[in-house]
Structures are given as C-alpha cells and as structure tokens.
Amino acid sequence: MAVRVGIVTFPGSLDDRDAARAVRLVGGTPVPLWHGTHDLDGVDAIILPGGFSYGDYLRAGAIASLSPIMSEVISAASTGMPVLGICNGFQMLAEAHLLPGGLIRNDHGTFVCRDQRLRVENTTTAWTSAYAGAVSSVAGATEITIPLKNGEGGFIASADTIARLEGEGHVVFRYLDVNPNGSMNDIAGITNARGNVVGLMPHPEHAVEPGFGPDTTDAMRSGTDGLPLFASALTALLPA
Amino acid sequence: MPTIVVEVMPKAELLDPQGKAVAGALARQGRSQILGVRVGKRFEIEVAGPADDAILAEVAVLADELLANLVIEDVISVHFAGADGFGIDATADFASGNVTTDTSFDEASTPEAQAEIREGLS
C-alpha cells in the first residue's frame, strides 16, 4: 500500500500542487487536505506547502498557524508523524511553536529568487534520511541545489536557541556560497528534537523532475536534488 | 464600546529591514537629520463591556500570544484608545474621562521650543 502524504491547502497557498507532484514522483499518494477542517483523512505524513497564506497578514504564517487543521497537525506531530514545512509552511511551524525561532523580512529588504546551494547537515530526520550518502557527497557532507524564493526568510532566534540548535544537531539545512536573507548562522532549515518535524525556506518540490529543476553541470534544468527529501518520508513509513 | 490599543515593535536588537528601507527613502529626500527609523504595528481592538483593568489584562495576554510573536517582536504598550490622544475613540474617551490628565508629555522641554510651538499654532 502506498504511503499517503497529506498536503494542506490554505487560502493563499501556492505550491501545494507542486508538493503533491513531488510525492507522486517518489511513489507516494498525495492527499489534498483543507485548512478549514479538523480532518487529516488518515494520512501517514503531512506537508505544509509554500505560498502566502492570508496574504502574510499579521506575520507570515501567523494566521494559518491558528487554522482548525493546525490543531490536528500539532497533535499528530507530537505523536511522531512526519511533518514538513516548506517556506510559508516553515513560517507556520515556527508560529505554531512546533519549531523554535522565527522568520523575519530578508535583511536586504527585497524578495529573492535563486537556485540555492545547501548543505544537508543532518541526515537522520524523517525528511532527510535518503540524503545519507546520496546526491553529490563531498567529504561526508551532502550538498544540494534547490530553488529558493522568499521575502521573509531571515531565520532568527535567541543566542541560547541558536546554541542549542547547533549543539544538538537540529540544524538540517545550511546555506552555502551566499546567505540569501540574513539568516543567523546561515540556517536554511531546522528540525525538532524527535526529528519528525522539519522546516526549511528553500523549495525541494521545485527540484524533482528533469527539465523543470535548477541547472546542473550535466544539463539545463536537470536538477532533482529535492527528490530524496520526499523519498525519505516514504522510506521511513514503509514497513520494513 | 471601549477600544484598546496594542502597539508592537520588532525587537530592538534585531535588524528591522522595513525601517531601514524607510530611513533610506528619507535620506534620499535629503532628510539627513533623520538617523534611523523602526516600523512597528498598532492594533485598535473594540471590546464589549466596561473599560476596566480586567479586559486590559485579557487583551495583554492575547497580545503576547497572537498579536505579537515574542521571538521576534515586543509588545510596547496596551492601553485604552484616547489615553494617548491619538486614534479612534479619542474624543469619546476624553469625554468619558477614560484618559490621563497628565499632559506633561505635551510640553516642550525648552523655552525656545515652546516659543516655536506658539508661533506655529498662531
């Protein structure tokens, strides 16, 4: 039986269908979920997609984090269900306190859209296990390139929180080459202590199909470095 | 109906890119005497019932939980509208006495500034 991955659509979600396609490409069954219900439809994992829920009113992700379905997402996360927040979804996870820290406007004040190199710092989470030894492994560290597009992607947290994230290996993705938004310690994505909840600003779902991904040295738009992220959750959930 | 004002500012130690952009625009207008700008939010919240400390305390809790994200922002002030002489319900609040009578903050600090204000008003 295929693993069922729920993708929640909020008013103003943008990349829900891209995330669904990514799930389908790795052999999972994407299940559309609606923000206004308390129904998780029995899914095995949840993705909070990118976009501009509620027009980023109040703070990015703040109003969505209070949606009816988010109370179900929070309790599912506490029982260990894999939950992934991409971009606006990461902002929701921070606002819902499922992940520490916060996301503020980019330090340079403008929206940024680029293919971004990242280092996968932690390959033991529910969403990154398939990166272990995968893609372009350089000296034990896995480096990937996936698109990044945000206006409020600056990760910030108190000095104590940053020290704890670094000390306990909860930094999952780190920006390489350039820091595109002023994030502290070049942090692009983090996880909770259990490793089932992961949030990141860049968009793995936009690098899953040759012809539509970032450029690589092999060919234009051939990058599919986002695929292992979705494959990780499926592998973790399939019975051995 | 009383109105409660909540003011929220980005944490002082954090960069405020919005304020920086405004400060840059002002500098381009030749306003070189303006050294910095920080941009925050003001919420005006209508509440039912009497304007008392209980409702103020209740809104203060909501301010911490929802109106501000204390990871990145501080709640600067929670007060009844009109107490600061600005915004909606100021007239009503002055009429009902729901306002401080302390006007010392309106007074200019130096005789020169006071003269300037008198000149401006006339």
Side-chain angles (χ1 to χ4, degrees):
Chain A
M1 201 181 82
V3 174
R4 300 173 78 245
V5 180
I7 294 129
V8 185
T9 298
F10 298 87
S13 287
L14 192 61
D15 299 315
D16 40 350
R17 288 190 294 178
D18 297 59
R21 186 168 180 77
V23 167
R24 199 175 299 120
L25 285 169
V26 294
T29 303
V31 179
L33 300 176
W34 183 239
H35 72 102
T37 73
H38 284 278
D39 185 9
L40 289 184
D41 201 4
V43 295
D44 306 302
I46 298 167
I47 297 175
L48 304 178
F52 297 88
S53 59
Y54 294 94
D56 277 352
Y57 289 177
L58 189 61
R59 294 175 304 276
I63 297 179
S65 75
L66 300 168
S67 301
I69 204 161
M70 281 305 288
S71 55
E72 309 307 320
V73 172
I74 290 166
S75 42
S78 69
T79 65
M81 185 185 287
V83 176
L84 174 69
I86 303 168
C87 194
N88 195 209
F90 183 16
Q91 293 162 339
M92 289 175 209
L93 291 175
E95 284 286 344
H97 305 297
L98 283 174
L99 291 175
L103 284 310
I104 63 168
R105 204 173 293 249
N106 297 347
D107 59 349
H108 45 74
T110 54
F111 195 91
V112 60
C113 180
R114 65 193 308 273
D115 291 341
Q116 177 71 46
R117 268 180 83 228
L118 304 170
R119 191 188 306 120
V120 185
E121 300 276 17
N122 180 338
T123 55
T124 64
T125 78
W127 296 95
T128 54
S129 57
Y131 282 113
V135 201
S136 49
S137 255
V138 180
T142 302
E143 296 179 6
I144 62 172
T145 301
I146 60 178
L148 170 85
K149 43 168 196 172
N150 65 65
E152 302 189 28
F155 180 80
I156 59 111
S158 67
D160 287 352
T161 304
I162 292 281
R164 205 180 67 243
L165 285 170
E166 294 285 1
E168 297 179 7
H170 294 168
V171 176
V172 182
F173 299 98
R174 206 184 299 273
Y175 297 117
L176 292 178
D177 302 332
V178 294
N179 182 333
N181 45 30
S183 293
M184 287 180 170
N185 287 30
D186 300 334
I187 290 172
I190 57 174
T191 185
N192 62 348
R194 198 166 177 167
N196 63 311
V197 179
V198 170
L200 78 167
M201 285 313 295
H203 288 261
E205 79 281 22
H206 295 332
V208 293
E209 198 167 12
F212 301 94
D215 293 347
T216 71
T217 50
D218 295 336
M220 272 176 69
R221 309 214 168 107
S222 63
T224 58
D225 287 355
L227 272 179
L229 201 127
F230 301 95
S232 298
L234 264 62
T235 315
L237 290 164
L238 277 176
Chain B
M1 258 185 313
T3 298
I4 295 173
V5 173
V6 175
E7 289 170 329
V8 174
M9 289 295 289
K11 276 192 186 298
E13 65 269 27
L14 292 176
L15 181 70
D16 172 21
Q18 198 177 180
K20 209 173 89 181
V22 174
L26 289 171
R28 285 193 295 279
Q29 305 292 310
R31 305 308 301 261
S32 56
Q33 79 276 30
I34 292 174
L35 301 176
V37 178
R38 297 181 70 77
V39 180
K41 291 181 191 144
R42 173 186 169 101
F43 300 85
E44 296 186 341
I45 301 164
E46 274 185 56
V47 293
D52 55 18
D53 285 351
I55 187 69
L56 214 50
E58 204 176 318
V59 170
V61 170
L62 286 177
D64 283 354
E65 286 176 356
L66 171 64
L67 302 181
N69 177 350
L70 299 184
V71 176
I72 58 179
E73 298 166 318
D74 290 323
V75 177
I76 298 300
S77 167
V78 180
H79 61 262
F80 286 108
D84 57 2
F86 291 106
I88 57 169
D89 272 9
T91 314
D93 283 331
F94 275 111
S96 65
N98 173 29
V99 61
T100 176
T101 52
D102 177 10
T103 55
S104 58
F105 53 83
D106 292 335
E107 285 167 15
S109 52
T110 65
E112 292 82 7
Q114 286 166 11
E116 206 172 322
I117 289 169
R118 274 197 301 278
E119 198 179 325
L121 289 175
S122 66

mmCIF file of all heavy atoms in Angstrom, chain A residues 167-201:
data_model
loop_
_atom_site.group_PDB
_atom_site.id
_atom_site.type_symbol
_atom_site.label_atom_id
_atom_site.label_comp_id
_atom_site.label_asym_id
_atom_site.label_seq_id
_atom_site.Cartn_x
_atom_site.Cartn_y
_atom_site.Cartn_z
ATOM 1 N N GLY A 167 24.222 22.826 18.872
ATOM 2 C CA GLY A 167 24.816 21.824 19.751
ATOM 3 C C GLY A 167 24.168 20.459 19.611
ATOM 4 O O GLY A 167 24.827 19.431 19.723
ATOM 5 N N GLU A 168 22.852 20.446 19.373
ATOM 6 C CA GLU A 168 22.136 19.177 19.325
ATOM 7 C C GLU A 168 21.913 18.675 17.903
ATOM 8 O O GLU A 168 21.157 17.728 17.677
ATOM 9 C CB GLU A 168 20.797 19.334 20.076
ATOM 10 C CG GLU A 168 21.033 19.634 21.548
ATOM 11 C CD GLU A 168 19.754 19.834 22.343
ATOM 12 O OE1 GLU A 168 18.660 19.615 21.781
ATOM 13 O OE2 GLU A 168 19.855 20.210 23.517
ATOM 14 N N GLY A 169 22.530 19.364 16.944
ATOM 15 C CA GLY A 169 22.436 18.905 15.560
ATOM 16 C C GLY A 169 21.066 19.098 14.943
ATOM 17 O O GLY A 169 20.663 18.334 14.058
ATOM 18 N N HIS A 170 20.340 20.111 15.401
ATOM 19 C CA HIS A 170 18.998 20.342 14.871
ATOM 20 C C HIS A 170 18.979 21.273 13.659
ATOM 21 O O HIS A 170 17.915 21.547 13.112
ATOM 22 C CB HIS A 170 18.078 20.883 15.976
ATOM 23 C CG HIS A 170 17.835 19.883 17.074
ATOM 24 N ND1 HIS A 170 17.252 20.207 18.262
ATOM 25 C CD2 HIS A 170 18.108 18.557 17.139
ATOM 26 C CE1 HIS A 170 17.172 19.127 19.035
ATOM 27 N NE2 HIS A 170 17.696 18.109 18.365
ATOM 28 N N VAL A 171 20.155 21.758 13.281
ATOM 29 C CA VAL A 171 20.230 22.496 12.013
ATOM 30 C C VAL A 171 20.291 21.446 10.908
ATOM 31 O O VAL A 171 21.202 20.626 10.872
ATOM 32 C CB VAL A 171 21.470 23.414 11.945
ATOM 33 C CG1 VAL A 171 21.568 24.079 10.573
ATOM 34 C CG2 VAL A 171 21.400 24.456 13.057
ATOM 35 N N VAL A 172 19.303 21.441 10.014
ATOM 36 C CA VAL A 172 19.206 20.392 8.994
ATOM 37 C C VAL A 172 19.785 20.859 7.667
ATOM 38 O O VAL A 172 20.469 20.108 6.972
ATOM 39 C CB VAL A 172 17.742 19.949 8.810
ATOM 40 C CG1 VAL A 172 17.648 18.830 7.777
ATOM 41 C CG2 VAL A 172 17.159 19.477 10.135
ATOM 42 N N PHE A 173 19.487 22.112 7.301
ATOM 43 C CA PHE A 173 19.992 22.661 6.035
ATOM 44 C C PHE A 173 20.699 23.988 6.308
ATOM 45 O O PHE A 173 20.212 24.793 7.106
ATOM 46 C CB PHE A 173 18.844 22.919 5.048
ATOM 47 C CG PHE A 173 18.077 21.684 4.662
ATOM 48 C CD1 PHE A 173 16.879 21.376 5.297
ATOM 49 C CD2 PHE A 173 18.545 20.843 3.663
ATOM 50 C CE1 PHE A 173 16.154 20.241 4.944
ATOM 51 C CE2 PHE A 173 17.822 19.702 3.306
ATOM 52 C CZ PHE A 173 16.634 19.397 3.945
ATOM 53 N N ARG A 174 21.860 24.176 5.626
ATOM 54 C CA ARG A 174 22.584 25.434 5.789
ATOM 55 C C ARG A 174 22.911 26.002 4.413
ATOM 56 O O ARG A 174 23.263 25.273 3.496
ATOM 57 C CB ARG A 174 23.865 25.194 6.592
ATOM 58 C CG ARG A 174 24.347 26.447 7.359
ATOM 59 C CD ARG A 174 25.678 26.214 8.059
ATOM 60 N NE ARG A 174 25.677 25.164 9.072
ATOM 61 C CZ ARG A 174 25.347 25.362 10.365
ATOM 62 N NH1 ARG A 174 24.966 26.539 10.774
ATOM 63 N NH2 ARG A 174 25.397 24.360 11.217
ATOM 64 N N TYR A 175 22.757 27.336 4.280
ATOM 65 C CA TYR A 175 23.060 27.999 3.008
ATOM 66 C C TYR A 175 24.550 27.929 2.722
ATOM 67 O O TYR A 175 25.375 28.145 3.609
ATOM 68 C CB TYR A 175 22.630 29.471 3.049
ATOM 69 C CG TYR A 175 21.143 29.670 3.214
ATOM 70 C CD1 TYR A 175 20.628 30.298 4.342
ATOM 71 C CD2 TYR A 175 20.261 29.228 2.235
ATOM 72 C CE1 TYR A 175 19.262 30.477 4.494
ATOM 73 C CE2 TYR A 175 18.892 29.406 2.374
ATOM 74 C CZ TYR A 175 18.387 30.029 3.510
ATOM 75 O OH TYR A 175 17.036 30.207 3.658
ATOM 76 N N LEU A 176 24.902 27.650 1.474
ATOM 77 C CA LEU A 176 26.287 27.667 1.020
ATOM 78 C C LEU A 176 26.460 28.806 0.022
ATOM 79 O O LEU A 176 25.486 29.265 -0.585
ATOM 80 C CB LEU A 176 26.670 26.337 0.357
ATOM 81 C CG LEU A 176 26.744 25.107 1.274
ATOM 82 C CD1 LEU A 176 27.089 23.871 0.445
ATOM 83 C CD2 LEU A 176 27.784 25.310 2.374
ATOM 84 N N ASP A 177 27.680 29.234 -0.177
ATOM 85 C CA ASP A 177 28.062 30.310 -1.115
ATOM 86 C C ASP A 177 27.590 31.677 -0.628
ATOM 87 O O ASP A 177 28.383 32.543 -0.344
ATOM 88 C CB ASP A 177 27.528 30.060 -2.532
ATOM 89 C CG ASP A 177 28.011 28.745 -3.098
ATOM 90 O OD1 ASP A 177 29.100 28.303 -2.694
ATOM 91 O OD2 ASP A 177 27.300 28.160 -3.938
ATOM 92 N N VAL A 178 26.262 31.892 -0.591
ATOM 93 C CA VAL A 178 25.749 33.171 -0.099
ATOM 94 C C VAL A 178 24.663 32.916 0.937
ATOM 95 O O VAL A 178 23.984 31.896 0.899
ATOM 96 C CB VAL A 178 25.148 34.032 -1.234
ATOM 97 C CG1 VAL A 178 26.202 34.459 -2.216
ATOM 98 C CG2 VAL A 178 24.004 33.304 -1.914
ATOM 99 N N ASN A 179 24.523 33.874 1.855
ATOM 100 C CA ASN A 179 23.401 33.867 2.771
ATOM 101 C C ASN A 179 22.345 34.779 2.142
ATOM 102 O O ASN A 179 22.516 35.990 2.102
ATOM 103 C CB ASN A 179 23.845 34.401 4.138
ATOM 104 C CG ASN A 179 22.721 34.372 5.164
ATOM 105 O OD1 ASN A 179 21.552 34.442 4.811
ATOM 106 N ND2 ASN A 179 23.084 34.283 6.425
ATOM 107 N N PRO A 180 21.257 34.204 1.611
ATOM 108 C CA PRO A 180 20.356 34.973 0.745
ATOM 109 C C PRO A 180 19.393 35.897 1.480
ATOM 110 O O PRO A 180 18.716 36.703 0.840
ATOM 111 C CB PRO A 180 19.577 33.881 0.003
ATOM 112 C CG PRO A 180 19.553 32.738 0.962
ATOM 113 C CD PRO A 180 20.856 32.798 1.734
ATOM 114 N N ASN A 181 19.303 35.780 2.812
ATOM 115 C CA ASN A 181 18.269 36.552 3.507
ATOM 116 C C ASN A 181 18.663 37.014 4.906
ATOM 117 O O ASN A 181 17.816 37.508 5.646
ATOM 118 C CB ASN A 181 16.979 35.730 3.567
ATOM 119 C CG ASN A 181 17.248 34.286 3.979
ATOM 120 O OD1 ASN A 181 18.192 34.012 4.707
ATOM 121 N ND2 ASN A 181 16.434 33.365 3.500
ATOM 122 N N GLY A 182 19.917 36.861 5.261
ATOM 123 C CA GLY A 182 20.354 37.326 6.573
ATOM 124 C C GLY A 182 20.089 36.357 7.705
ATOM 125 O O GLY A 182 20.114 36.747 8.873
ATOM 126 N N SER A 183 19.809 35.085 7.374
ATOM 127 C CA SER A 183 19.541 34.090 8.417
ATOM 128 C C SER A 183 20.739 33.919 9.341
ATOM 129 O O SER A 183 21.881 33.882 8.884
ATOM 130 C CB SER A 183 19.218 32.729 7.776
ATOM 131 O OG SER A 183 18.000 32.791 7.080
ATOM 132 N N MET A 184 20.467 33.816 10.639
ATOM 133 C CA MET A 184 21.543 33.598 11.601
ATOM 134 C C MET A 184 22.233 32.263 11.311
ATOM 135 O O MET A 184 21.574 31.274 10.998
ATOM 136 C CB MET A 184 20.986 33.570 13.020
ATOM 137 C CG MET A 184 20.560 34.932 13.534
ATOM 138 S SD MET A 184 19.913 34.796 15.210
ATOM 139 C CE MET A 184 19.804 36.537 15.649
ATOM 140 N N ASN A 185 23.561 32.245 11.428
ATOM 141 C CA ASN A 185 24.368 31.034 11.221
ATOM 142 C C ASN A 185 24.100 30.386 9.866
ATOM 143 O O ASN A 185 24.279 29.176 9.721
ATOM 144 C CB ASN A 185 24.117 30.008 12.331
ATOM 145 C CG ASN A 185 24.759 30.428 13.640
ATOM 146 O OD1 ASN A 185 24.901 31.610 13.911
ATOM 147 N ND2 ASN A 185 25.141 29.464 14.462
ATOM 148 N N ASP A 186 23.619 31.151 8.883
ATOM 149 C CA ASP A 186 23.301 30.623 7.540
ATOM 150 C C ASP A 186 22.279 29.498 7.596
ATOM 151 O O ASP A 186 22.275 28.592 6.739
ATOM 152 C CB ASP A 186 24.574 30.122 6.828
ATOM 153 C CG ASP A 186 25.610 31.219 6.649
ATOM 154 O OD1 ASP A 186 25.210 32.399 6.609
ATOM 155 O OD2 ASP A 186 26.805 30.890 6.546
ATOM 156 N N ILE A 187 21.389 29.526 8.589
ATOM 157 C CA ILE A 187 20.439 28.422 8.763
ATOM 158 C C ILE A 187 19.306 28.510 7.741
ATOM 159 O O ILE A 187 18.621 29.523 7.632
ATOM 160 C CB ILE A 187 19.876 28.424 10.209
ATOM 161 C CG1 ILE A 187 20.979 28.014 11.192
ATOM 162 C CG2 ILE A 187 18.668 27.479 10.323
ATOM 163 C CD1 ILE A 187 20.593 28.177 12.651
ATOM 164 N N ALA A 188 19.125 27.408 6.985
ATOM 165 C CA ALA A 188 18.071 27.351 5.974
ATOM 166 C C ALA A 188 16.922 26.457 6.412
ATOM 167 O O ALA A 188 15.798 26.597 5.929
ATOM 168 C CB ALA A 188 18.635 26.842 4.646
ATOM 169 N N GLY A 189 17.206 25.515 7.330
ATOM 170 C CA GLY A 189 16.161 24.605 7.777
ATOM 171 C C GLY A 189 16.554 23.946 9.084
ATOM 172 O O GLY A 189 17.746 23.752 9.360
ATOM 173 N N ILE A 190 15.550 23.618 9.894
ATOM 174 C CA ILE A 190 15.815 23.023 11.213
ATOM 175 C C ILE A 190 14.829 21.877 11.471
ATOM 176 O O ILE A 190 13.857 21.678 10.740
ATOM 177 C CB ILE A 190 15.691 24.065 12.347
ATOM 178 C CG1 ILE A 190 14.309 24.720 12.335
ATOM 179 C CG2 ILE A 190 16.766 25.130 12.229
ATOM 180 C CD1 ILE A 190 14.054 25.666 13.509
ATOM 181 N N THR A 191 15.088 21.133 12.547
ATOM 182 C CA THR A 191 14.195 20.051 12.942
ATOM 183 C C THR A 191 13.929 20.136 14.442
ATOM 184 O O THR A 191 14.598 20.888 15.154
ATOM 185 C CB THR A 191 14.797 18.673 12.592
ATOM 186 O OG1 THR A 191 13.834 17.641 12.890
ATOM 187 C CG2 THR A 191 16.056 18.411 13.414
ATOM 188 N N ASN A 192 12.934 19.388 14.899
ATOM 189 C CA ASN A 192 12.683 19.304 16.336
ATOM 190 C C ASN A 192 13.561 18.186 16.917
ATOM 191 O O ASN A 192 14.265 17.477 16.186
ATOM 192 C CB ASN A 192 11.193 19.067 16.615
ATOM 193 C CG ASN A 192 10.693 17.756 16.025
ATOM 194 O OD1 ASN A 192 11.382 17.121 15.229
ATOM 195 N ND2 ASN A 192 9.503 17.351 16.399
ATOM 196 N N ALA A 193 13.485 18.012 18.234
ATOM 197 C CA ALA A 193 14.359 17.039 18.889
ATOM 198 C C ALA A 193 14.094 15.630 18.366
ATOM 199 O O ALA A 193 15.015 14.827 18.216
ATOM 200 C CB ALA A 193 14.162 17.103 20.397
ATOM 201 N N ARG A 194 12.836 15.329 18.086
ATOM 202 C CA ARG A 194 12.467 13.983 17.658
ATOM 203 C C ARG A 194 12.862 13.696 16.217
ATOM 204 O O ARG A 194 12.970 12.528 15.804
ATOM 205 C CB ARG A 194 10.958 13.848 17.821
ATOM 206 C CG ARG A 194 10.445 12.435 17.835
ATOM 207 C CD ARG A 194 9.016 12.446 18.346
ATOM 208 N NE ARG A 194 8.436 11.122 18.331
ATOM 209 C CZ ARG A 194 7.303 10.825 18.960
ATOM 210 N NH1 ARG A 194 6.660 11.760 19.650
ATOM 211 N NH2 ARG A 194 6.803 9.608 18.892
ATOM 212 N N GLY A 195 13.032 14.764 15.407
ATOM 213 C CA GLY A 195 13.439 14.582 14.017
ATOM 214 C C GLY A 195 12.292 14.316 13.059
ATOM 215 O O GLY A 195 12.525 14.020 11.885
ATOM 216 N N ASN A 196 11.045 14.420 13.551
ATOM 217 C CA ASN A 196 9.913 14.173 12.646
ATOM 218 C C ASN A 196 9.384 15.451 12.027
ATOM 219 O O ASN A 196 8.754 15.425 10.969
ATOM 220 C CB ASN A 196 8.780 13.439 13.381
ATOM 221 C CG ASN A 196 8.192 14.250 14.519
ATOM 222 O OD1 ASN A 196 8.919 14.787 15.349
ATOM 223 N ND2 ASN A 196 6.870 14.357 14.546
ATOM 224 N N VAL A 197 9.630 16.602 12.684
ATOM 225 C CA VAL A 197 9.169 17.884 12.144
ATOM 226 C C VAL A 197 10.366 18.628 11.563
ATOM 227 O O VAL A 197 11.358 18.857 12.249
ATOM 228 C CB VAL A 197 8.503 18.748 13.240
ATOM 229 C CG1 VAL A 197 8.047 20.085 12.656
ATOM 230 C CG2 VAL A 197 7.332 18.010 13.865
ATOM 231 N N VAL A 198 10.281 18.964 10.271
ATOM 232 C CA VAL A 198 11.359 19.681 9.599
ATOM 233 C C VAL A 198 10.759 20.879 8.873
ATOM 234 O O VAL A 198 9.703 20.767 8.240
ATOM 235 C CB VAL A 198 12.106 18.768 8.596
ATOM 236 C CG1 VAL A 198 13.058 19.589 7.716
ATOM 237 C CG2 VAL A 198 12.882 17.674 9.325
ATOM 238 N N GLY A 199 11.417 22.014 8.984
ATOM 239 C CA GLY A 199 11.006 23.201 8.236
ATOM 240 C C GLY A 199 12.196 23.777 7.511
ATOM 241 O O GLY A 199 13.313 23.765 8.039
ATOM 242 N N LEU A 200 11.982 24.225 6.264
ATOM 243 C CA LEU A 200 13.063 24.871 5.520
ATOM 244 C C LEU A 200 12.485 25.948 4.606
ATOM 245 O O LEU A 200 11.328 25.848 4.176
ATOM 246 C CB LEU A 200 13.883 23.858 4.713
ATOM 247 C CG LEU A 200 13.346 23.300 3.402
ATOM 248 C CD1 LEU A 200 14.475 22.585 2.662
ATOM 249 C CD2 LEU A 200 12.192 22.324 3.602
ATOM 250 N N MET A 201 13.274 26.971 4.335
ATOM 251 C CA MET A 201 12.818 28.043 3.448
ATOM 252 C C MET A 201 12.924 27.673 1.965
ATOM 253 O O MET A 201 12.027 27.986 1.203
ATOM 254 C CB MET A 201 13.583 29.350 3.723
ATOM 255 C CG MET A 201 13.162 30.078 4.999
ATOM 256 S SD MET A 201 11.369 30.252 5.236
ATOM 257 C CE MET A 201 10.928 31.322 3.864
#
